Amino acid sequence: GAVVSQHPSWVICKSGTSVKIECRSLDFQATTMFWYRQFPKQSLMLMATSNEGSKATYEQGVEKDKFLINHASLTLSTLTVTSAHPEDSSFYICSARDPPRVYEQYFGPGTRLTVT
Amino acid sequence: RKEVEQDPGPFNVPEGATVAFNCTYSNSASQSFFWYRQDCRKEPKLLMSVYSSGNEDGRFTAQLNRASQYISLLIRDSKLSDSATYLCVVPSHSGSARQLTFGSGTQLTVLP
């Protein structure tokens, strides 16, 4: 149980384009999902908390107009990187909290974004 | 003081060795703790949860010292497959989202 999928697993895009990443909880309903970014040899940094049916909460320093988050259902959250630039190249990972387990999060396999 | 601090390593140990990692945290109110394992270019996977003084699962033992605010992870009889980065994770208490704060990770390489 507690499986989270992410799509695509990798994407290469040109500077200035937008990229959408999907995160799905496959066997449970997740009212809360989290989006992280991880640069090489660094740990995961929380970008935003995605709440079903309401606006996402962004961490300090993360531009909400650049990283658009939509959590339209209990099993799907999307992150859109708008007007991507090479410095946005990173490993983006989502996670979902299984409600009975207050703090445990289950991670998607990640999306490796390369902006050329 | 950082919220979660880990020795980055790397730890290079021979197969069969016992290795221990420490992690310190700053929020004395934290009640639960986690160790995640992350392989290169993969997502983190939950290894152990620690809700009381410690937890043991096979070759892995996690211990919690609340007075000193540190958590340790002990791996006995290391296997080649244990090579990975081990992340110490502590819940944040901001807001109601119950977020997690990740340490920078400790890299382990088990050598044949």
Side-chain angles (χ1 to χ4, degrees):
Chain A
V3 178
V4 177
S5 72
Q6 217 174 311
H7 178 80
S9 55
W10 60 271
V11 58
I12 301 173
C13 71
K14 290 187 177 179
S15 194
T17 60
S18 296
V19 174
K20 181 187 278 190
I21 303 170
E22 293 186 349
C23 177
R24 293 180 188 272
S25 57
L26 297 185
D27 51 1
F28 65 100
Q29 294 183 328
T31 53
T32 304
M33 291 184 173
F34 303 90
W35 287 96
Y36 296 85
R37 182 166 52 183
Q38 186 176 33
F39 292 107
K41 298 193 182 295
Q42 295 185 23
S43 193
L44 279 75
M45 296 300 296
L46 180 66
M47 298 176 66
T49 302
S50 171
N51 302 297
E52 187 267 336
S54 64
K55 290 183 179 180
T57 304
Y58 290 80
E59 294 301 298
Q60 194 171 9
V62 178
E63 300 174 58
K64 60 182 179 183
D65 294 330
K66 180 170 181 63
F67 299 99
L68 301 178
I69 291 172
N70 185 285
H71 193 155
S73 78
L74 287 171
T75 59
L76 173 65
S77 175
T78 61
L79 168 69
T80 302
V81 183
T82 63
S83 187
H85 288 101
E87 57 266 30
D88 298 324
S89 299
S90 187
F91 191 45
Y92 291 86
I93 311 176
C94 73
S95 72
R97 189 162 56 83
D98 187 4
R101 296 175 169 80
V102 176
Y103 286 107
E104 290 177 14
Q105 292 180 20
Y106 297 89
F107 288 82
T111 296
R112 192 159 299 281
L113 170 64
T114 302
V115 184
T116 60
Chain B
R1 185 179 185 181
K2 284 185 180 178
E3 281 192 71
V4 183
E5 214 154 354
Q6 287 183 254
D7 182 345
F11 284 68
N12 298 318
V13 302
E15 240 181 320
T18 296
V19 62
F21 311 134
N22 283 334
C23 167
T24 57
Y25 61 94
S26 61
N27 187 346
S28 58
S30 298
Q31 295 293 313
S32 52
F33 308 86
F34 307 96
W35 283 101
Y36 279 76
R37 169 202 169 120
Q38 186 175 27
D39 293 289
C40 189
R41 293 175 171 262
K42 299 282 188 182
E43 77 276 22
K45 293 193 175 172
L46 182 63
L47 181 66
M48 297 188 79
S49 306
V50 185
Y51 295 103
S52 57
S53 61
N55 193 5
E56 185 171 333
D57 183 5
R59 299 183 293 110
F60 298 85
T61 301
Q63 288 190 317
L64 169 63
N65 184 317
R66 289 188 191 277
S68 301
Q69 291 181 216
Y70 80 78
I71 319 124
S72 63
L73 178 68
L74 181 78
I75 305 175
R76 289 181 295 276
D77 188 24
S78 303
K79 311 289 184 193
L80 296 176
S81 57
D82 294 334
S83 298
T85 297
Y86 290 83
L87 302 168
C88 175
V89 183
V90 180
S92 303
H93 291 269
S94 56
S96 60
R98 297 192 174 95
Q99 300 163 348
L100 300 178
T101 299
F102 286 78
S104 55
T106 297
Q107 188 180 341
L108 170 67
T109 301
V110 181
L111 305 168

mmCIF file of all heavy atoms in Angstrom, chain B residues 20-65:
data_model
loop_
_atom_site.group_PDB
_atom_site.id
_atom_site.type_symbol
_atom_site.label_atom_id
_atom_site.label_comp_id
_atom_site.label_asym_id
_atom_site.label_seq_id
_atom_site.Cartn_x
_atom_site.Cartn_y
_atom_site.Cartn_z
ATOM 1 N N ALA B 20 27.387 3.314 12.491
ATOM 2 C CA ALA B 20 26.367 4.117 13.171
ATOM 3 C C ALA B 20 26.412 5.549 12.672
ATOM 4 O O ALA B 20 27.491 6.113 12.449
ATOM 5 C CB ALA B 20 26.583 4.075 14.681
ATOM 6 N N PHE B 21 25.239 6.117 12.486
ATOM 7 C CA PHE B 21 25.113 7.513 12.094
ATOM 8 C C PHE B 21 24.381 8.260 13.199
ATOM 9 O O PHE B 21 23.450 7.727 13.784
ATOM 10 C CB PHE B 21 24.272 7.668 10.809
ATOM 11 C CG PHE B 21 24.675 6.770 9.688
ATOM 12 C CD1 PHE B 21 23.720 6.074 8.974
ATOM 13 C CD2 PHE B 21 26.008 6.616 9.341
ATOM 14 C CE1 PHE B 21 24.074 5.247 7.922
ATOM 15 C CE2 PHE B 21 26.371 5.794 8.294
ATOM 16 C CZ PHE B 21 25.398 5.098 7.580
ATOM 17 N N ASN B 22 24.774 9.502 13.405
ATOM 18 C CA ASN B 22 24.066 10.337 14.367
ATOM 19 C C ASN B 22 23.383 11.495 13.685
ATOM 20 O O ASN B 22 23.810 11.944 12.612
ATOM 21 C CB ASN B 22 25.046 10.880 15.414
ATOM 22 C CG ASN B 22 25.419 9.829 16.432
ATOM 23 O OD1 ASN B 22 24.664 8.889 16.678
ATOM 24 N ND2 ASN B 22 26.603 9.962 17.007
ATOM 25 N N CYS B 23 22.371 11.984 14.334
ATOM 26 C CA CYS B 23 21.611 13.107 13.798
ATOM 27 C C CYS B 23 21.153 13.935 14.990
ATOM 28 O O CYS B 23 20.640 13.379 15.971
ATOM 29 C CB CYS B 23 20.411 12.571 13.011
ATOM 30 S SG CYS B 23 19.170 13.804 12.598
ATOM 31 N N THR B 24 21.335 15.238 14.925
ATOM 32 C CA THR B 24 20.844 16.096 16.007
ATOM 33 C C THR B 24 19.721 16.975 15.481
ATOM 34 O O THR B 24 19.686 17.321 14.295
ATOM 35 C CB THR B 24 21.964 16.990 16.573
ATOM 36 O OG1 THR B 24 22.514 17.776 15.505
ATOM 37 C CG2 THR B 24 23.054 16.164 17.213
ATOM 38 N N TYR B 25 18.798 17.302 16.364
ATOM 39 C CA TYR B 25 17.671 18.142 15.969
ATOM 40 C C TYR B 25 17.509 19.266 16.973
ATOM 41 O O TYR B 25 17.897 19.148 18.127
ATOM 42 C CB TYR B 25 16.383 17.311 15.841
ATOM 43 C CG TYR B 25 15.948 16.623 17.118
ATOM 44 C CD1 TYR B 25 15.037 17.215 17.987
ATOM 45 C CD2 TYR B 25 16.454 15.371 17.458
ATOM 46 C CE1 TYR B 25 14.639 16.589 19.148
ATOM 47 C CE2 TYR B 25 16.069 14.739 18.621
ATOM 48 C CZ TYR B 25 15.160 15.348 19.466
ATOM 49 O OH TYR B 25 14.776 14.720 20.629
ATOM 50 N N SER B 26 16.901 20.351 16.520
ATOM 51 C CA SER B 26 16.845 21.543 17.374
ATOM 52 C C SER B 26 15.527 21.710 18.119
ATOM 53 O O SER B 26 15.488 22.346 19.170
ATOM 54 C CB SER B 26 17.115 22.800 16.529
ATOM 55 O OG SER B 26 16.126 22.926 15.526
ATOM 56 N N ASN B 27 14.450 21.133 17.575
ATOM 57 C CA ASN B 27 13.140 21.336 18.188
ATOM 58 C C ASN B 27 12.897 20.298 19.289
ATOM 59 O O ASN B 27 12.603 19.137 19.012
ATOM 60 C CB ASN B 27 12.052 21.252 17.122
ATOM 61 C CG ASN B 27 10.680 21.630 17.662
ATOM 62 O OD1 ASN B 27 10.475 21.715 18.872
ATOM 63 N ND2 ASN B 27 9.739 21.855 16.778
ATOM 64 N N SER B 28 12.988 20.740 20.518
ATOM 65 C CA SER B 28 12.856 19.807 21.641
ATOM 66 C C SER B 28 11.434 19.245 21.774
ATOM 67 O O SER B 28 11.218 18.262 22.472
ATOM 68 C CB SER B 28 13.247 20.494 22.959
ATOM 69 O OG SER B 28 12.432 21.635 23.175
ATOM 70 N N ALA B 29 10.478 19.870 21.077
ATOM 71 C CA ALA B 29 9.097 19.397 21.158
ATOM 72 C C ALA B 29 8.806 18.256 20.187
ATOM 73 O O ALA B 29 7.730 17.655 20.245
ATOM 74 C CB ALA B 29 8.136 20.550 20.879
ATOM 75 N N SER B 30 9.738 17.943 19.307
ATOM 76 C CA SER B 30 9.514 16.878 18.326
ATOM 77 C C SER B 30 9.248 15.559 19.019
ATOM 78 O O SER B 30 9.915 15.210 19.991
ATOM 79 C CB SER B 30 10.727 16.749 17.393
ATOM 80 O OG SER B 30 10.926 17.931 16.656
ATOM 81 N N GLN B 31 8.256 14.825 18.497
ATOM 82 C CA GLN B 31 7.849 13.576 19.144
ATOM 83 C C GLN B 31 8.143 12.349 18.291
ATOM 84 O O GLN B 31 8.200 11.237 18.810
ATOM 85 C CB GLN B 31 6.338 13.620 19.428
ATOM 86 C CG GLN B 31 5.935 14.685 20.440
ATOM 87 C CD GLN B 31 6.478 14.379 21.819
ATOM 88 O OE1 GLN B 31 6.374 13.249 22.295
ATOM 89 N NE2 GLN B 31 7.084 15.367 22.455
ATOM 90 N N SER B 32 8.266 12.550 16.993
ATOM 91 C CA SER B 32 8.498 11.409 16.120
ATOM 92 C C SER B 32 9.633 11.732 15.153
ATOM 93 O O SER B 32 9.874 12.905 14.842
ATOM 94 C CB SER B 32 7.223 11.054 15.359
ATOM 95 O OG SER B 32 6.688 12.194 14.719
ATOM 96 N N PHE B 33 10.295 10.691 14.738
ATOM 97 C CA PHE B 33 11.486 10.869 13.915
ATOM 98 C C PHE B 33 11.534 9.742 12.889
ATOM 99 O O PHE B 33 10.949 8.675 13.091
ATOM 100 C CB PHE B 33 12.750 10.829 14.788
ATOM 101 C CG PHE B 33 12.679 11.772 15.954
ATOM 102 C CD1 PHE B 33 12.085 11.367 17.142
ATOM 103 C CD2 PHE B 33 13.145 13.065 15.842
ATOM 104 C CE1 PHE B 33 11.975 12.238 18.217
ATOM 105 C CE2 PHE B 33 13.045 13.946 16.906
ATOM 106 C CZ PHE B 33 12.456 13.533 18.089
ATOM 107 N N PHE B 34 12.242 9.998 11.806
ATOM 108 C CA PHE B 34 12.292 8.998 10.747
ATOM 109 C C PHE B 34 13.685 8.908 10.171
ATOM 110 O O PHE B 34 14.421 9.908 10.102
ATOM 111 C CB PHE B 34 11.310 9.363 9.622
ATOM 112 C CG PHE B 34 9.910 9.611 10.110
ATOM 113 C CD1 PHE B 34 9.471 10.893 10.377
ATOM 114 C CD2 PHE B 34 9.045 8.557 10.315
ATOM 115 C CE1 PHE B 34 8.197 11.122 10.845
ATOM 116 C CE2 PHE B 34 7.761 8.777 10.776
ATOM 117 C CZ PHE B 34 7.331 10.059 11.039
ATOM 118 N N TRP B 35 14.027 7.737 9.731
ATOM 119 C CA TRP B 35 15.200 7.542 8.887
ATOM 120 C C TRP B 35 14.700 7.093 7.526
ATOM 121 O O TRP B 35 13.929 6.149 7.406
ATOM 122 C CB TRP B 35 16.138 6.479 9.460
ATOM 123 C CG TRP B 35 16.960 6.970 10.614
ATOM 124 C CD1 TRP B 35 16.752 6.748 11.938
ATOM 125 C CD2 TRP B 35 18.159 7.757 10.521
ATOM 126 N NE1 TRP B 35 17.730 7.361 12.683
ATOM 127 C CE2 TRP B 35 18.604 7.983 11.846
ATOM 128 C CE3 TRP B 35 18.899 8.286 9.473
ATOM 129 C CZ2 TRP B 35 19.761 8.725 12.132
ATOM 130 C CZ3 TRP B 35 20.037 9.021 9.752
ATOM 131 C CH2 TRP B 35 20.463 9.232 11.077
ATOM 132 N N TYR B 36 15.133 7.818 6.501
ATOM 133 C CA TYR B 36 14.836 7.452 5.125
ATOM 134 C C TYR B 36 16.131 7.039 4.448
ATOM 135 O O TYR B 36 17.217 7.509 4.804
ATOM 136 C CB TYR B 36 14.227 8.629 4.347
ATOM 137 C CG TYR B 36 12.753 8.866 4.556
ATOM 138 C CD1 TYR B 36 12.275 9.465 5.725
ATOM 139 C CD2 TYR B 36 11.837 8.508 3.575
ATOM 140 C CE1 TYR B 36 10.919 9.688 5.900
ATOM 141 C CE2 TYR B 36 10.476 8.737 3.739
ATOM 142 C CZ TYR B 36 10.028 9.335 4.904
ATOM 143 O OH TYR B 36 8.687 9.546 5.065
ATOM 144 N N ARG B 37 15.990 6.208 3.446
ATOM 145 C CA ARG B 37 17.132 5.792 2.647
ATOM 146 C C ARG B 37 16.903 6.303 1.234
ATOM 147 O O ARG B 37 15.792 6.192 0.696
ATOM 148 C CB ARG B 37 17.203 4.265 2.668
ATOM 149 C CG ARG B 37 18.154 3.676 1.691
ATOM 150 C CD ARG B 37 17.853 2.248 1.359
ATOM 151 N NE ARG B 37 18.668 1.872 0.215
ATOM 152 C CZ ARG B 37 19.563 0.886 0.234
ATOM 153 N NH1 ARG B 37 19.692 0.139 1.310
ATOM 154 N NH2 ARG B 37 20.284 0.624 -0.827
ATOM 155 N N GLN B 38 17.944 6.893 0.643
ATOM 156 C CA GLN B 38 17.811 7.368 -0.729
ATOM 157 C C GLN B 38 18.967 6.835 -1.569
ATOM 158 O O GLN B 38 20.139 7.073 -1.262
ATOM 159 C CB GLN B 38 17.782 8.902 -0.799
ATOM 160 C CG GLN B 38 17.496 9.423 -2.207
ATOM 161 C CD GLN B 38 17.343 10.933 -2.282
ATOM 162 O OE1 GLN B 38 17.891 11.660 -1.466
ATOM 163 N NE2 GLN B 38 16.597 11.417 -3.276
ATOM 164 N N ASP B 39 18.618 6.091 -2.606
ATOM 165 C CA ASP B 39 19.619 5.638 -3.565
ATOM 166 C C ASP B 39 19.824 6.731 -4.605
ATOM 167 O O ASP B 39 18.951 7.578 -4.824
ATOM 168 C CB ASP B 39 19.158 4.333 -4.218
ATOM 169 C CG ASP B 39 19.129 3.201 -3.210
ATOM 170 O OD1 ASP B 39 20.217 2.763 -2.806
ATOM 171 O OD2 ASP B 39 18.034 2.777 -2.802
ATOM 172 N N CYS B 40 20.960 6.665 -5.270
ATOM 173 C CA CYS B 40 21.323 7.694 -6.246
ATOM 174 C C CYS B 40 20.228 7.863 -7.301
ATOM 175 O O CYS B 40 19.779 6.884 -7.912
ATOM 176 C CB CYS B 40 22.645 7.321 -6.897
ATOM 177 S SG CYS B 40 23.330 8.620 -7.917
ATOM 178 N N ARG B 41 19.774 9.081 -7.492
ATOM 179 C CA ARG B 41 18.783 9.415 -8.516
ATOM 180 C C ARG B 41 17.440 8.740 -8.296
ATOM 181 O O ARG B 41 16.661 8.529 -9.236
ATOM 182 C CB ARG B 41 19.314 9.086 -9.915
ATOM 183 C CG ARG B 41 20.471 9.960 -10.321
ATOM 184 C CD ARG B 41 21.065 9.547 -11.649
ATOM 185 N NE ARG B 41 22.030 10.544 -12.112
ATOM 186 C CZ ARG B 41 21.758 11.491 -12.996
ATOM 187 N NH1 ARG B 41 20.559 11.549 -13.541
ATOM 188 N NH2 ARG B 41 22.655 12.370 -13.355
ATOM 189 N N LYS B 42 17.161 8.387 -7.042
ATOM 190 C CA LYS B 42 15.873 7.774 -6.724
ATOM 191 C C LYS B 42 15.194 8.571 -5.616
ATOM 192 O O LYS B 42 15.800 9.440 -5.000
ATOM 193 C CB LYS B 42 16.070 6.334 -6.231
ATOM 194 C CG LYS B 42 16.727 5.423 -7.243
ATOM 195 C CD LYS B 42 15.736 4.975 -8.284
ATOM 196 C CE LYS B 42 16.351 3.907 -9.179
ATOM 197 N NZ LYS B 42 15.411 3.491 -10.216
ATOM 198 N N GLU B 43 13.932 8.227 -5.351
ATOM 199 C CA GLU B 43 13.221 8.910 -4.285
ATOM 200 C C GLU B 43 13.599 8.331 -2.926
ATOM 201 O O GLU B 43 14.021 7.176 -2.827
ATOM 202 C CB GLU B 43 11.702 8.803 -4.508
ATOM 203 C CG GLU B 43 11.089 7.449 -4.151
ATOM 204 C CD GLU B 43 11.198 6.424 -5.258
ATOM 205 O OE1 GLU B 43 12.075 6.570 -6.138
ATOM 206 O OE2 GLU B 43 10.421 5.459 -5.202
ATOM 207 N N PRO B 44 13.410 9.107 -1.849
ATOM 208 C CA PRO B 44 13.658 8.564 -0.513
ATOM 209 C C PRO B 44 12.627 7.503 -0.174
ATOM 210 O O PRO B 44 11.458 7.600 -0.563
ATOM 211 C CB PRO B 44 13.479 9.778 0.409
ATOM 212 C CG PRO B 44 13.474 10.967 -0.475
ATOM 213 C CD PRO B 44 12.991 10.520 -1.800
ATOM 214 N N LYS B 45 13.071 6.496 0.562
ATOM 215 C CA LYS B 45 12.146 5.451 1.015
ATOM 216 C C LYS B 45 12.259 5.329 2.523
ATOM 217 O O LYS B 45 13.362 5.332 3.074
ATOM 218 C CB LYS B 45 12.471 4.125 0.333
ATOM 219 C CG LYS B 45 12.203 4.181 -1.164
ATOM 220 C CD LYS B 45 12.200 2.832 -1.816
ATOM 221 C CE LYS B 45 11.805 2.992 -3.279
ATOM 222 N NZ LYS B 45 11.963 1.766 -4.051
ATOM 223 N N LEU B 46 11.120 5.220 3.173
ATOM 224 C CA LEU B 46 11.082 5.144 4.627
ATOM 225 C C LEU B 46 11.764 3.872 5.101
ATOM 226 O O LEU B 46 11.410 2.768 4.685
ATOM 227 C CB LEU B 46 9.636 5.185 5.112
ATOM 228 C CG LEU B 46 9.437 5.151 6.620
ATOM 229 C CD1 LEU B 46 10.053 6.368 7.289
ATOM 230 C CD2 LEU B 46 7.945 5.064 6.948
ATOM 231 N N LEU B 47 12.734 4.047 5.985
ATOM 232 C CA LEU B 47 13.469 2.907 6.540
ATOM 233 C C LEU B 47 12.925 2.559 7.924
ATOM 234 O O LEU B 47 12.613 1.419 8.207
ATOM 235 C CB LEU B 47 14.959 3.254 6.611
ATOM 236 C CG LEU B 47 15.912 2.201 7.148
ATOM 237 C CD1 LEU B 47 15.951 1.002 6.205
ATOM 238 C CD2 LEU B 47 17.308 2.786 7.315
ATOM 239 N N MET B 48 12.842 3.577 8.786
ATOM 240 C CA MET B 48 12.372 3.332 10.144
ATOM 241 C C MET B 48 11.680 4.567 10.696
ATOM 242 O O MET B 48 12.065 5.688 10.399
ATOM 243 C CB MET B 48 13.537 2.983 11.085
ATOM 244 C CG MET B 48 14.272 1.726 10.736
ATOM 245 S SD MET B 48 15.446 1.285 12.010
ATOM 246 C CE MET B 48 14.345 0.563 13.204
ATOM 247 N N SER B 49 10.684 4.311 11.531
ATOM 248 C CA SER B 49 10.033 5.380 12.281
ATOM 249 C C SER B 49 10.419 5.207 13.748
ATOM 250 O O SER B 49 10.548 4.082 14.228
ATOM 251 C CB SER B 49 8.512 5.279 12.148
ATOM 252 O OG SER B 49 8.138 5.257 10.789
ATOM 253 N N VAL B 50 10.593 6.310 14.439
ATOM 254 C CA VAL B 50 10.957 6.252 15.858
ATOM 255 C C VAL B 50 9.983 7.123 16.624
ATOM 256 O O VAL B 50 9.939 8.334 16.429
ATOM 257 C CB VAL B 50 12.399 6.750 16.107
ATOM 258 C CG1 VAL B 50 12.771 6.545 17.570
ATOM 259 C CG2 VAL B 50 13.372 6.030 15.191
ATOM 260 N N TYR B 51 9.182 6.501 17.466
ATOM 261 C CA TYR B 51 8.178 7.257 18.220
ATOM 262 C C TYR B 51 8.472 7.271 19.712
ATOM 263 O O TYR B 51 7.946 8.081 20.444
ATOM 264 C CB TYR B 51 6.786 6.693 17.977
ATOM 265 C CG TYR B 51 6.316 6.856 16.548
ATOM 266 C CD1 TYR B 51 6.316 5.784 15.660
ATOM 267 C CD2 TYR B 51 5.883 8.089 16.083
ATOM 268 C CE1 TYR B 51 5.898 5.943 14.350
ATOM 269 C CE2 TYR B 51 5.456 8.256 14.772
ATOM 270 C CZ TYR B 51 5.464 7.172 13.914
ATOM 271 O OH TYR B 51 5.055 7.333 12.614
ATOM 272 N N SER B 52 9.282 6.338 20.178
ATOM 273 C CA SER B 52 9.597 6.323 21.608
ATOM 274 C C SER B 52 11.113 6.326 21.741
ATOM 275 O O SER B 52 11.793 7.093 21.092
ATOM 276 C CB SER B 52 8.963 5.108 22.288
ATOM 277 O OG SER B 52 9.399 3.919 21.653
ATOM 278 N N SER B 53 11.660 5.483 22.568
ATOM 279 C CA SER B 53 13.102 5.538 22.802
ATOM 280 C C SER B 53 13.900 4.907 21.678
ATOM 281 O O SER B 53 15.090 5.182 21.535
ATOM 282 C CB SER B 53 13.445 4.845 24.126
ATOM 283 O OG SER B 53 13.046 3.490 24.060
ATOM 284 N N GLY B 54 13.259 4.062 20.898
ATOM 285 C CA GLY B 54 14.006 3.431 19.826
ATOM 286 C C GLY B 54 13.160 2.444 19.061
ATOM 287 O O GLY B 54 11.981 2.241 19.354
ATOM 288 N N ASN B 55 13.779 1.854 18.055
ATOM 289 C CA ASN B 55 13.084 0.893 17.211
ATOM 290 C C ASN B 55 14.127 -0.034 16.614
ATOM 291 O O ASN B 55 15.258 0.385 16.343
ATOM 292 C CB ASN B 55 12.324 1.646 16.108
ATOM 293 C CG ASN B 55 11.337 0.765 15.392
ATOM 294 O OD1 ASN B 55 11.142 -0.387 15.759
ATOM 295 N ND2 ASN B 55 10.704 1.303 14.368
ATOM 296 N N GLU B 56 13.758 -1.287 16.446
ATOM 297 C CA GLU B 56 14.692 -2.241 15.854
ATOM 298 C C GLU B 56 13.975 -3.023 14.773
ATOM 299 O O GLU B 56 12.829 -3.442 14.948
ATOM 300 C CB GLU B 56 15.225 -3.203 16.927
ATOM 301 C CG GLU B 56 16.300 -4.153 16.393
ATOM 302 C CD GLU B 56 16.982 -4.943 17.505
ATOM 303 O OE1 GLU B 56 17.029 -4.450 18.649
ATOM 304 O OE2 GLU B 56 17.463 -6.050 17.216
ATOM 305 N N ASP B 57 14.665 -3.201 13.650
ATOM 306 C CA ASP B 57 14.088 -3.965 12.542
ATOM 307 C C ASP B 57 15.224 -4.724 11.874
ATOM 308 O O ASP B 57 15.973 -4.165 11.073
ATOM 309 C CB ASP B 57 13.400 -3.021 11.542
ATOM 310 C CG ASP B 57 12.729 -3.779 10.414
ATOM 311 O OD1 ASP B 57 12.701 -5.026 10.442
ATOM 312 O OD2 ASP B 57 12.209 -3.119 9.487
ATOM 313 N N GLY B 58 15.379 -5.977 12.264
ATOM 314 C CA GLY B 58 16.446 -6.792 11.683
ATOM 315 C C GLY B 58 17.818 -6.228 12.026
ATOM 316 O O GLY B 58 18.164 -6.069 13.193
ATOM 317 N N ARG B 59 18.579 -5.904 11.008
ATOM 318 C CA ARG B 59 19.941 -5.394 11.218
ATOM 319 C C ARG B 59 19.975 -3.899 11.568
ATOM 320 O O ARG B 59 21.035 -3.352 11.832
ATOM 321 C CB ARG B 59 20.760 -5.633 9.948
ATOM 322 C CG ARG B 59 20.912 -7.104 9.559
ATOM 323 C CD ARG B 59 21.795 -7.279 8.341
ATOM 324 N NE ARG B 59 21.181 -6.730 7.140
ATOM 325 C CZ ARG B 59 21.615 -5.635 6.514
ATOM 326 N NH1 ARG B 59 22.649 -4.952 6.982
ATOM 327 N NH2 ARG B 59 21.013 -5.207 5.416
ATOM 328 N N PHE B 60 18.837 -3.275 11.545
ATOM 329 C CA PHE B 60 18.772 -1.831 11.746
ATOM 330 C C PHE B 60 18.183 -1.492 13.115
ATOM 331 O O PHE B 60 17.144 -2.022 13.487
ATOM 332 C CB PHE B 60 17.915 -1.177 10.652
ATOM 333 C CG PHE B 60 18.464 -1.366 9.273
ATOM 334 C CD1 PHE B 60 18.178 -2.514 8.538
ATOM 335 C CD2 PHE B 60 19.274 -0.405 8.704
ATOM 336 C CE1 PHE B 60 18.692 -2.694 7.261
ATOM 337 C CE2 PHE B 60 19.785 -0.569 7.421
ATOM 338 C CZ PHE B 60 19.494 -1.712 6.708
ATOM 339 N N THR B 61 18.869 -0.606 13.834
ATOM 340 C CA THR B 61 18.377 -0.142 15.126
ATOM 341 C C THR B 61 18.449 1.375 15.174
ATOM 342 O O THR B 61 19.491 1.959 14.871
ATOM 343 C CB THR B 61 19.219 -0.713 16.279
ATOM 344 O OG1 THR B 61 19.177 -2.139 16.234
ATOM 345 C CG2 THR B 61 18.673 -0.238 17.626
ATOM 346 N N ALA B 62 17.341 1.988 15.522
ATOM 347 C CA ALA B 62 17.313 3.442 15.699
ATOM 348 C C ALA B 62 17.131 3.726 17.176
ATOM 349 O O ALA B 62 16.325 3.084 17.840
ATOM 350 C CB ALA B 62 16.183 4.057 14.894
ATOM 351 N N GLN B 63 17.904 4.667 17.690
ATOM 352 C CA GLN B 63 17.772 5.041 19.105
ATOM 353 C C GLN B 63 17.582 6.537 19.222
ATOM 354 O O GLN B 63 18.150 7.314 18.451
ATOM 355 C CB GLN B 63 19.010 4.598 19.884
ATOM 356 C CG GLN B 63 19.078 3.087 20.065
ATOM 357 C CD GLN B 63 20.167 2.696 21.040
ATOM 358 O OE1 GLN B 63 21.256 3.246 20.980
ATOM 359 N NE2 GLN B 63 19.874 1.754 21.913
ATOM 360 N N LEU B 64 16.787 6.909 20.199
ATOM 361 C CA LEU B 64 16.456 8.309 20.412
ATOM 362 C C LEU B 64 16.935 8.734 21.791
ATOM 363 O O LEU B 64 16.665 8.055 22.780
ATOM 364 C CB LEU B 64 14.938 8.500 20.300
ATOM 365 C CG LEU B 64 14.346 9.835 20.737
ATOM 366 C CD1 LEU B 64 14.871 10.969 19.880
ATOM 367 C CD2 LEU B 64 12.820 9.763 20.688
ATOM 368 N N ASN B 65 17.624 9.847 21.840
ATOM 369 C CA ASN B 65 18.037 10.430 23.113
ATOM 370 C C ASN B 65 17.434 11.818 23.199
ATOM 371 O O ASN B 65 17.945 12.775 22.609
ATOM 372 C CB ASN B 65 19.568 10.495 23.182
ATOM 373 C CG ASN B 65 20.059 10.999 24.540
ATOM 374 O OD1 ASN B 65 19.506 11.949 25.104
ATOM 375 N ND2 ASN B 65 21.084 10.362 25.068
#
